[in-house]
Structure formats: structure tokens, C-alpha cells
Amino acid sequence: MLTNKGQHLGADTVVEGADDPVIPRQNGLASTLYLRKGFGTMRVPHVKHLTVLPNLPAPLAPLQEMAHNLWYSWHPEFVALFERLDLDTWITCNRNPVRMLASMTQAQLEDAASNETFLANLRKVYDDYREYLQRKKWFAMEHASFANETIAYFSLEYGMDTSLPVYSGGLGVLSGDTLKSASDLGLPMVAIGLLYRYGYFRQELSADGWQLEKYDENDWYHMPVTLVRDNSGKPVRIALELDSVPVQVQVWRVTVGQMPLYLLDTNIQENSSKAREITSMLYGGDRDMRIRQEIVLGIGGMKALSALGIEPTIIHSNEGHSWFLTLERLQRLMIDHKMSFSEASNYVWSTTVFTTHTPVPAGNERFDPVLVRRYLGKMVQDLGISWSDFVSIGRVNAQDDSEQFGMTVAALRSSAYSNGVSQLHGSVSRRMWHNIWPELPLEEVPIRAVTNGVHPASWLSAEMSELYETYLGRDFVERPGDRDYWESVKKIPDADLWRAHLERRKRLVYFTRRQLRRQLQRQGASPVDIQHADQVLDPDILTIGFARRFSTYKRGNLIFRDLERLERLLSNPERPVQLVISGKAHPLDQPGKEIIKEIATFVAQPAFRNRIVFLENYNIQIGRRLYQGCDVWLNNPRRPQEASGTSGMKAALNGALNVSVLDGWWDEAYSPEVGFKIGKPIEYTNVEEQDTEDAASLYSTLEREVVPLFYRRNENNLPEGWIKRMKAAIIQSGRDFSAHRMLVDYTTNAYLPAMSNSRLLRENDFERNRSVASWFDRVSHSWDHIAITNLDFPALADDLKVGDRIPVRIDVQLGDITPDDVSIELVSGSINSQEEFLRMDSFPVAQAEANGSKGSFTYTGEVVCRESGRLGITARVVPVHDDIPHAKKPKLIRWW
């Protein structure tokens, strides 16, 4: 069955021009399609599925191949081919090359196939594409011995391009940038996610500024995804059982350069309507829907990899949504390799990387244990552990029956390698989850930090890319180890950099006017208001960009706190300022929606009408325009609630200067040479006080620092001081905040160690793993019998000096544990009046002798006085084994 444009009409496809999306209804075993038309419906029973492909002339075949690889999303020369074919159709098709090829007439295709200039450009792009796929990349050159290992990356969303709308915001875009950089670096990675029938919502604003959510059904047969089939041509499917109901899951593949991304889909005819809706919507539905989605992602994801013949060496879970995969890994190890639960748990822990993104406890995923038991009770029973032992994995306090099952808590307990996404967020996470490891000092909680980064080529404007290629070389985005490489940005002439930026700001203004005109037309605005859209903003004045999710802590309305002061700032006749804003609130976030409505009300006032625009339906395309065209990137969350924040990195790569609260990445990136700060690096207890002080700081920073520097020009009308900071910002962001650098950090600090663990523990049918697990069991069962019975040092004079050494004797009762199983550590450092360590050092000491009685030993060491002030000295016992990543497991530390 074809539409009038020759497009495939599958069982879940909406006819063009239909009033609303139509959800197929189940009638026994027969699928019935209801097409809405006018005020009635047309019943079409027993629809069969066919796929109709465009009849491309042979010379255009490379277009079809490249259209199914998201390599195109960071190669503008590919996009230029489609813009040249038909710009209007390209925009109408949402910049989706697969849909555009299906939408073009045969005459258009034949005309392109006979255009030698077009074909020459096509051959050049295709040559670059093939060369990229065949090129030997960083990982193969630096870590060839690990080339046959596999990293499986799990995330609930992926934001790579507007043509594949399976993302909502920052988490998804980070996942997308991770895959693109993994491809650039040649990491042996596969990724798993969900294929959402409606994706995230399309935002529309009502005439009074209230956010409305619209859900567009995705037509996968006209998107860059391919249904995975087995050797017989049948779709690859896996079987799950959710609440005693069988669920079939099919697998789609997205190719991202060299990276395969597999997306799981339950919207198939054999499933019940309840099962089909599991992958219907991103972040939609209730808690029951959410847990079913996460079971499909985690357990279904592992089953899908197995069905594809992929056995990952290590797992990287991006947030706790996919933690249920741990259960599938445990069960498979116990069945296939006859392991005990503790043996399987040790292997899984040693080979898992976990990244947490949420710096607020309430924002981390939790489920009622009753709901978890409903879906996973039988699987837990098959693992051979009690329900209480299982639930304790997801609780900070295992004895607290009122505590829900926390996915982040479970992931932290199950991963040897855990990290936050900025240095500050790592510190916040250690403080937030300290009670999982109550025996450890705060700074030793095993949650490290890998600061997020962005994929440079995906966010750079064409003008900046050309400048970088000229002065840095064509491979500027693929040299993660060369930190001095970006210093060549200083060679770019000021006039060339500024000229490129002026062109991008102009393009942003014109883009904003077009978007605003469409927005007003859809809202039914008057012809006068629609015509006025062509007059808003000025391409020659200081432009501030602000775009992100509208959650209350991000304070999207902070700059509107003093309207009179804001009006003076924007309307200064000699140094005017303008602001472009965009962003969505979660459908259930009423306070976030109120902020958007409040801003829309302000924007409509005559004083702000020409200087502030709110663009609806924030997405990757709008984000690119803003990052590339604004002069200033504004970010003002409540510290320390922004885990990282990558939008400012993208803007900085394009030469925009950040004006931001010292939170997330900006806390470690800020210096006066690269941007501006808002407020102080402190944490408030009073939110109103924090907002008041930060708003005052924001206005002051703009008035006294940002605006004067921007409008201070030399004899050539160039803002020398501003351009100097632009170059410094570009160098810093390219060198320190790219996703390439991020993945090199993950590779060095997590992936390679975890792969090495896997190799070691797998030897001789997991012989070492069994040995380590047995050791852990033995040590854990005897740990409560350990005691430090005495810590002694000689009487000391009152006039200790820095550099003096203090001999220390420690008597320890180990019980059934041997000295080879533990390390006795002296801990010393500066303490406060409450005898709490402000700074501390720990170091192992030597065993001196056995004390005669069984299990009793004496150890000796010395403490060096490293600084003046109050000195604290104590000791502890920690387990030690050559074959474990680290021994900082909960409940396995004994202090004096």
C-alpha cells in the first residue's frame, strides 16, 4: 500500500494529512489499522507489511549507502549534497536523507544522476566516507592487543541528529557524542538503546506561552535505521517474560561511522497492546511503564547482544537505567559456567563501568520493591539469593524496609569503576553516596570523575571547521593525545576569526526570524505580528544564547529577576544586547512549564519584543544554530545541581564566551582568560538568598565586564580583547573538553583495566575468578573478628616540628584471616576541633612479628609531620588481593 508519494505504509504508519496519530488496535490475532480521516475512520483489516525503496539511478547509489550511516551528521559536505538537490525538500524532510531520497521524484533523481558537477562532488564525499571507514584509528594503534575485546555501552536515549528523534536532551546528546567519538577513535564498542515509536515530544507554545506536547509517530522505514535479520532473512527477535506475559523484542541497527547501535523495539504485531507500548514513548507513562522499559533495555539488551553473536568483555552503563542487565549477566555466568552467585558477582563487578549523572538524590531512579518483585521475583529466585539480600543491593541502608530500590545504588555496588561527570560532580557524588561506604573517609569513596566532553565536528560551524583545517590541519578532531595541537588556534588572524563569527551571528538572527514567523503563524497571530517577526533582533549586536531543559534548578528566568535592570541592559543605545532562548520542560514538570510561560509573557512586552526571542521545540538543529551564532553562552543553575553541562563546551568550541555559575564543568574550566563567572563557588542553604545574589552577580558581570569588553574596538573595528578570549576558549574546549579526551580518560582509567580484569579472571575457565570469589567469601565471613587492639607511639615533646618522624606500633587481632589477606595502614593528617580529618594520608606498614596467640600480630611504621597544626593519627585494616581492581567494598574496612 502506498501513499500518493510512493511511501511505504506499515501497520503503524499515519497517513499524511491525518488529524491525529493512530494507534493500531488488536482484534484477536488480526491487526487492524484505523486511519483517521475527517470526522470518521476508515477500517483497513489485515494489513501486510511491505517496504518500497526509491529507484535510485546507479550513479546515486552511494547516497543511499551514506544516508544509512550517521557519519553524515558530522560531515557538512554530505549535507551540502542534499541541500543542492532540493533545499526546500531537505528542510521539509527534517534533514533526514533517507526520507528525502524517498520523497524525490524520479525525474529529480535522473536529473541529479546526469549532472556531472554534482556527481564529482558526490564521488569526493564518498571517497572521504570510505577512507574514514578503512582508516586505522587511535585505539588500534595504541592498544592493538585489546582490539578483539568489546565494550557494550547502554543508555536510555541517544541524541545524534534530528533525523533520529530518540533523545530528549543532555543525557542523550552525550551518549550520541560518545558513539561518534568512539567511531573516530576506533574503540571496539557496541551500543544498546530503545527505539521509541513517538520519541520525545514536539513542543509547541500556546498564544499565552503555555507548553503543549505533541507526539509525532516515527516512520522507521524512512529513517537511518535498519531492521536486523538473521541468515534466513527473518527479523532477529528475543523473548522476554514480563509479569508472566511473553514479550517479543525485535532489533534495529543504526550505524554511527564504525559504531553499531542496536535499538530494541516491542511494537510488533505478536505482542499484546500493553507490550507494544513499552517502547512507545521516551520518559512517558507511569512507574510500571518505566520499569518495563528498563528491563527491556537491560535484560533485553544483553539477550539481544547474545542473539547477534556479540559477547561483550565489559559493560559501560550510562546512568542507572540499564542496571537490570546485571541480573542477566549473573544468570548467564551461573548457567553457562556453573558459577556460584558470589563468583558471578565478582566477575560482573570487576568488568563493569558505571557513570552517574544526577547530583540530587531525589533525581536518581528508584522503584518500589513490590513493583520490582512483580517483574523480577522469579529471576532473583533462580539466582539462588533471598529477596531481602537482593533488595539490599539497591538500598543505602539494607535494614531500612521503607527505602525503595535505587538503580544508582545498585549500580554503584555492582561496578568496580564508577564516576561522576565533572570534578565537582565527582565530589558531590562521593558526599551523596558516602553512606554506602560508611567506613571510608569521604575522599576515598570509590567514585571518581571523568569530565564530560563533546564531539567537535558535530557542533562546529562550517566557517570554524574551515579555519581549523587551515591552521590546525584536517585531522584536528582526531588527535586526542596531542594537547599542544590546539595551540595553533592562536595563528588564526583576528580579522578572519571575527569575520567568520559575524557571518554566523547574522545567520542565527535570520534563522531565528524564520522560526519565529512559523511559530506565530501556527499560533494564529495577526498578520502584523507575523510581519514583525522579520524585524526582531539585530545581526550586529551582542547576542546571548540560553538553551536547555527547563527545570527549576536551571533557573531559566534568573535574568528576568530585575526587569528594569534588564531593560536598561538590552536597550542601551550605544551598547545594546539581545537574547535568544529555547528549551523544553518535562511534560510532568509544572513548575518548569510555569517558567516558560513567565518568559513568554516577558518576551511579549514592548520593551523586550525586539530584543528577546523564545524559540519553541528545542532540538539538535536549534542548538547548533545557537552554539555557532551567539557571542555569549549563559548558564545559571543552582550550584551544585548541574552535574556537568556540555552546551557551554559546544559554544566555546565555536568561540562563544561562557557566562556561567561555577558549577559542573565550568567549576574546573573557568579562568578570566576564557570567560566569565556568576556568583561565588559556595553552596547555599537558602535558595532565595542564592537566587538573589546570583542574579545581582549576573547583571553586574554583564554590565561591568561582558558588554564593555565586547564593544571595546581597535582602529580596525576589531574587539581585540574579546577575540583573545575567544581563542583561549577554543583552545581550552578543544584540548580539554572534547569527547575524544573523555573517551581516552575512560579507556585509560576504566576500559583497559576492566578488560585486563576480564582476561585475567577468564583464564582456565574462570579459575582465577573462582579463586578471587572464594577469597572474598572467606575474608567477608571472618571480617567481624578483626580488631586493632592497640595503637601506640612514644611520649612526644610539645615542640614537634614539620619533618619530624613519629614511630608507631599497631597490635592487630586477625582471627582466621592471614596477614597476606590484609594491609595494615597508618592514617594521619590535619584534624579540626572535632577530631575530623581535614586532609589525610594513608600508607601500609610492615608486619614486625606474631604475638604468640593465634591471629595476633604487631606492625610498625612511622608518621611524618608534613604540616603544622593539629595532627591526627589512626590505623585501619583493609583487604588486599593482587587480582581485584580495588578492595573498597562496603563493610570490608576495620578502623582502630
Side-chain angles (χ1 to χ4, degrees):
M1 179 184 259
L2 305 176
T3 66
N4 59 357
K5 288 190 177 182
Q7 296 175 347
H8 169 259
L9 186 62
D12 304 333
T13 304
V14 181
V15 170
E16 281 192 35
D19 297 331
D20 299 297
V22 180
I23 300 176
R25 309 175 189 177
Q26 295 295 311
N27 181 12
L29 296 177
S31 175
T32 302
L33 178 65
Y34 286 78
L35 304 180
R36 192 177 303 277
K37 187 174 179 63
F39 295 100
T41 60
M42 179 174 61
R43 185 173 183 274
V44 185
H46 305 293
V47 175
K48 290 189 175 182
H49 296 254
L50 299 171
T51 302
V52 180
L53 299 176
N55 186 11
L56 281 183
L60 301 185
L63 283 178
Q64 184 80 354
E65 179 184 345
M66 291 187 288
H68 282 84
N69 189 324
L70 286 190
W71 174 88
Y72 67 71
S73 66
W74 70 95
H75 287 84
E77 61 274 17
F78 174 89
V79 173
L81 291 174
F82 281 80
E83 291 177 338
R84 181 173 178 178
L85 283 173
D86 189 333
L87 180 59
D88 290 338
T89 302
W90 177 245
I91 294 173
T92 302
C93 291
N94 199 30
R95 295 170 172 80
N96 176 351
V98 179
R99 178 171 291 280
M100 180 166 170
L101 288 176
S103 301
M104 294 181 67
T105 66
Q106 198 63 34
Q108 286 177 305
L109 295 173
E110 296 291 349
D111 182 61
S114 62
N115 186 320
E116 191 51 45
T117 303
F118 179 83
L119 293 179
N121 289 333
L122 172 57
R123 285 191 291 270
K124 182 181 181 305
V125 173
Y126 188 62
D127 287 344
D128 289 344
Y129 169 73
R130 299 304 303 173
E131 189 274 332
Y132 174 87
L133 296 182
Q134 295 164 9
R135 184 190 317 157
K136 189 174 183 180
K137 297 185 171 66
W138 172 80
F139 191 88
M141 292 186 287
E142 296 291 328
H143 306 291
S145 62
F146 290 94
N148 293 325
E149 310 291 350
T150 303
I151 307 159
Y153 183 89
F154 283 71
S155 183
L156 200 58
E157 54 172 302
Y158 292 89
M160 293 170 289
D161 193 70
T162 53
S163 62
L164 188 64
V166 290
Y167 66 95
S168 69
L171 178 70
V173 174
L174 172 73
S175 299
D177 278 12
T178 297
L179 302 196
K180 294 174 184 179
S181 287
S183 174
D184 286 346
L185 298 178
L187 264 65
M189 181 181 283
V190 299
I192 293 287
L194 299 182
L195 189 78
Y196 301 101
R197 180 180 174 189
Y198 295 105
Y200 204 50
F201 69 91
R202 174 167 52 86
Q203 178 199 51
E204 293 182 355
L205 298 188
S206 66
D208 63 353
W210 189 253
Q211 174 180 292
L212 305 173
E213 293 89 29
K214 303 291 183 180
Y215 291 90
D216 297 325
E217 186 168 10
N218 291 315
D219 175 9
W220 303 120
Y221 296 94
H222 287 111
M223 290 186 175
V225 299
T226 304
L227 188 62
V228 179
R229 300 180 183 275
D230 60 22
N231 292 333
S232 65
K234 294 180 179 179
V236 170
R237 291 186 179 179
I238 59 168
L240 296 175
E241 190 172 277
L242 299 179
D243 195 18
S244 301
V245 176
V247 176
Q248 293 285 311
V249 183
Q250 64 185 4
V251 184
W252 299 73
R253 175 178 169 130
V254 178
T255 304
V256 187
Q258 290 186 328
M259 268 285 306
L261 163 62
Y262 296 103
L263 299 178
L264 310 182
D265 172 25
T266 65
N267 184 31
I268 52 182
Q269 186 172 337
E270 289 80 358
N271 284 334
S272 67
S273 58
K274 185 176 181 180
R276 294 183 76 161
E277 71 181 10
I278 294 173
T279 55
S280 62
M281 207 173 292
L282 175 60
Y283 301 136
D286 55 15
R287 302 306 299 161
D288 182 73
M289 168 73 86
R290 188 61 169 264
I291 195 172
R292 287 186 290 140
Q293 285 187 333
E294 297 188 8
I295 290 171
V296 170
L297 173 66
I299 296 176
M302 289 302 301
K303 287 180 177 292
L305 289 174
S306 181
L308 296 168
I310 300 170
E311 293 299 328
T313 309
I314 64 172
I315 300 292
H316 185 171
S317 292
N318 192 37
E319 264 299 359
H321 307 127
S322 60
W323 179 81
F324 293 131
L325 68 83
T326 304
L327 303 182
E328 178 67 19
R329 293 186 78 195
L330 291 170
Q331 188 172 73
R332 194 175 303 171
L333 287 166
M334 293 173 71
I335 293 173
D336 294 348
H337 299 281
K338 305 297 185 287
M339 290 188 187
S340 67
F341 179 81
S342 62
E343 290 169 347
S345 296
N346 180 68
Y347 182 79
V348 168
W349 175 76
S350 301
T351 57
T352 300
V353 181
F354 169 62
T355 298
T356 176
H357 291 262
T358 311
V360 181
N364 287 268
E365 191 82 272
R366 289 181 172 88
F367 291 110
D368 186 328
V370 174
L371 184 62
V372 179
R373 190 166 193 169
R374 174 181 163 192
Y375 285 106
L376 296 171
K378 183 179 183 304
M379 191 173 195
V380 171
Q381 185 178 0
D382 291 343
L383 292 174
I385 60 173
S386 69
W387 181 252
S388 60
D389 284 346
F390 169 74
V391 174
S392 68
I393 297 172
R395 285 175 170 164
V396 174
N397 182 358
Q399 283 70 48
D400 183 1
D401 289 337
S402 66
E403 185 179 347
Q404 292 194 319
F405 187 91
M407 299 292 277
T408 299
V409 176
L412 289 169
R413 290 187 187 276
S414 306
S415 309
Y417 306 94
S418 297
N419 67 276
V421 290
S422 68
Q423 294 299 319
L424 178 60
H425 180 232
S427 175
V428 169
S429 297
R430 288 190 289 275
R431 186 165 66 245
M432 189 162 66
W433 303 115
H434 187 194
N435 286 340
I436 299 176
W437 296 271
E439 312 93 336
L440 285 176
L442 183 62
E443 59 268 32
E444 290 191 347
V445 169
I447 304 174
R448 302 298 95 197
V450 177
T451 302
N452 281 343
V454 299
H455 182 249
S458 290
W459 306 105
L460 284 173
S461 67
E463 293 86 352
M464 293 302 285
S465 291
E466 290 175 6
L467 285 175
Y468 291 0
E469 286 187 14
T470 300
Y471 292 95
L472 280 72
R474 288 201 66 187
D475 58 346
F476 70 91
V477 296
E478 295 176 18
R479 298 182 61 170
D482 191 347
R483 296 177 62 83
D484 296 329
Y485 193 63
W486 284 86
E487 291 293 323
S488 297
V489 166
K490 295 176 181 177
K491 299 176 183 177
I492 300 175
D494 286 1
D496 289 354
L497 180 59
W498 191 242
R499 189 182 306 112
H501 182 61
L502 292 179
E503 183 61 32
R504 293 178 307 160
R505 191 197 309 133
K506 184 185 300 182
R507 190 163 60 240
L508 170 62
V509 168
Y510 294 155
F511 171 81
T512 302
R513 290 173 178 174
R514 288 195 305 272
Q515 294 293 109
L516 181 59
R517 171 180 276 272
R518 295 191 189 102
Q519 198 167 307
L520 292 171
Q521 289 172 335
R522 187 196 50 73
Q523 292 172 347
S526 69
V528 173
D529 287 340
I530 294 172
Q531 186 176 6
H532 183 76
D534 294 333
Q535 302 169 27
V536 302
L537 305 183
D538 184 331
D540 297 319
I541 69 175
L542 175 61
T543 303
I544 300 174
F546 180 95
R548 54 197 24 89
R549 179 167 57 90
F550 269 77
S551 183
T552 51
Y553 81 86
K554 292 179 181 286
R555 300 188 297 187
N557 54 352
L558 187 70
I559 199 171
F560 294 93
R561 200 169 175 89
D562 186 335
L563 293 180
E564 291 184 5
R565 196 168 180 182
L566 177 61
E567 182 181 354
R568 290 196 301 271
L569 180 71
L570 300 181
S571 61
N572 185 310
E574 296 180 356
R575 302 186 305 192
V577 178
Q578 60 195 8
L579 181 61
V580 183
I581 305 172
S582 190
K584 297 177 179 179
H586 188 280
L588 300 181
D589 185 358
Q590 296 302 312
K593 292 183 179 182
E594 291 288 354
I595 292 175
I596 292 175
K597 187 176 186 298
E598 178 186 358
I599 293 174
T601 302
F602 293 145
V603 170
Q605 295 179 10
F608 302 123
R609 190 178 180 190
N610 290 332
R611 287 285 184 259
I612 306 177
V613 175
F614 188 103
L615 293 179
E616 66 183 11
N617 198 37
Y618 180 50
N619 58 23
I620 286 175
Q621 179 65 14
I622 289 176
R624 279 199 186 105
R625 295 289 190 178
L626 284 167
Y627 306 141
Q628 295 170 5
C630 66
D631 301 289
V632 165
W633 192 255
L634 178 62
N635 187 34
N636 42 236
R638 289 194 185 103
R639 177 186 165 108
Q641 296 184 43
E642 182 87 286
S644 178
T646 55
S647 61
M649 303 173 189
K650 299 162 192 168
L653 269 172
N654 284 283
L657 301 187
N658 277 267
V659 175
S660 178
V661 168
L662 294 171
D663 197 8
W665 81 288
W666 195 238
D667 183 68
E668 65 195 80
Y670 166 74
S671 73
E673 292 76 29
V674 297
F676 308 88
K677 66 181 175 69
I678 301 169
K680 303 171 184 176
I682 60 176
E683 296 174 25
Y684 293 78
T685 55
N686 185 305
V687 169
E688 182 62 26
E689 178 187 357
Q690 183 176 12
D691 292 354
T692 299
E693 292 194 11
D694 283 352
S697 175
L698 169 58
Y699 290 127
S700 178
T701 299
L702 291 173
E703 294 163 347
R704 299 181 182 181
E705 299 180 58
V706 178
V707 175
L709 183 65
F710 179 84
Y711 283 105
R712 191 178 301 135
R713 307 298 169 95
N714 65 12
E715 63 277 7
N716 296 316
N717 197 32
L718 294 176
E720 284 181 323
W722 189 272
I723 293 172
K724 183 177 180 180
R725 291 201 194 195
M726 286 177 69
K727 291 183 178 180
I730 291 168
I731 291 169
Q732 183 196 53
S733 57
R735 182 189 61 206
D736 299 331
F737 296 102
S738 75
H740 294 71
R741 186 276 312 152
M742 174 186 74
L743 280 175
V744 170
D745 286 352
Y746 274 119
T747 299
T748 304
N749 300 319
Y751 294 164
L752 294 180
M755 288 177 182
S756 296
N757 296 340
S758 176
R759 284 186 177 180
L760 185 72
L761 298 176
R762 289 197 317 252
E763 289 179 358
N764 299 320
D765 190 27
F766 295 89
E767 179 181 350
R768 286 210 191 197
N769 181 70
R770 298 178 203 277
S771 173
V772 172
S774 175
W775 173 83
F776 259 127
D777 287 344
R778 178 172 58 82
V779 169
S780 298
H781 290 151
S782 302
W783 197 259
D784 288 343
H785 301 298
I786 291 177
I788 298 177
T789 57
N790 183 51
L791 186 148
D792 192 29
F793 44 84
L796 301 171
D798 293 333
D799 57 349
L800 280 171
K801 301 286 193 305
V802 172
D804 284 352
R805 296 176 178 271
I806 304 169
V808 180
R809 169 191 168 114
I810 307 168
D811 294 325
V812 181
Q813 177 62 45
L814 295 180
D816 293 333
I817 294 176
T818 72
D820 291 338
D821 295 325
V822 296
S823 173
I824 312 301
E825 296 181 350
L826 264 175
V827 180
S828 66
S830 174
I831 58 173
N832 60 19
S833 60
Q834 303 299 312
E835 298 183 354
E836 299 168 331
F837 279 103
L838 302 175
R839 288 171 297 280
M840 56 172 278
D841 293 316
S842 62
F843 47 91
V845 294
Q847 176 186 344
E849 57 186 10
N851 285 340
S853 60
K854 181 183 177 182
S856 183
F857 300 90
T858 296
Y859 292 77
T860 58
E862 63 178 16
V863 171
V864 179
C865 300
R866 300 189 183 280
E867 58 182 315
S868 59
R870 299 191 69 196
L871 175 68
I873 300 175
T874 188
R876 66 185 179 188
V877 184
V878 298
V880 62
H881 194 287
D882 290 339
D883 295 338
I884 59 175
H886 62 78
K888 293 176 181 175
K889 284 201 167 187
K891 302 180 182 177
L892 286 184
I893 295 177
R894 178 72 65 201
W895 290 85
W896 176 48

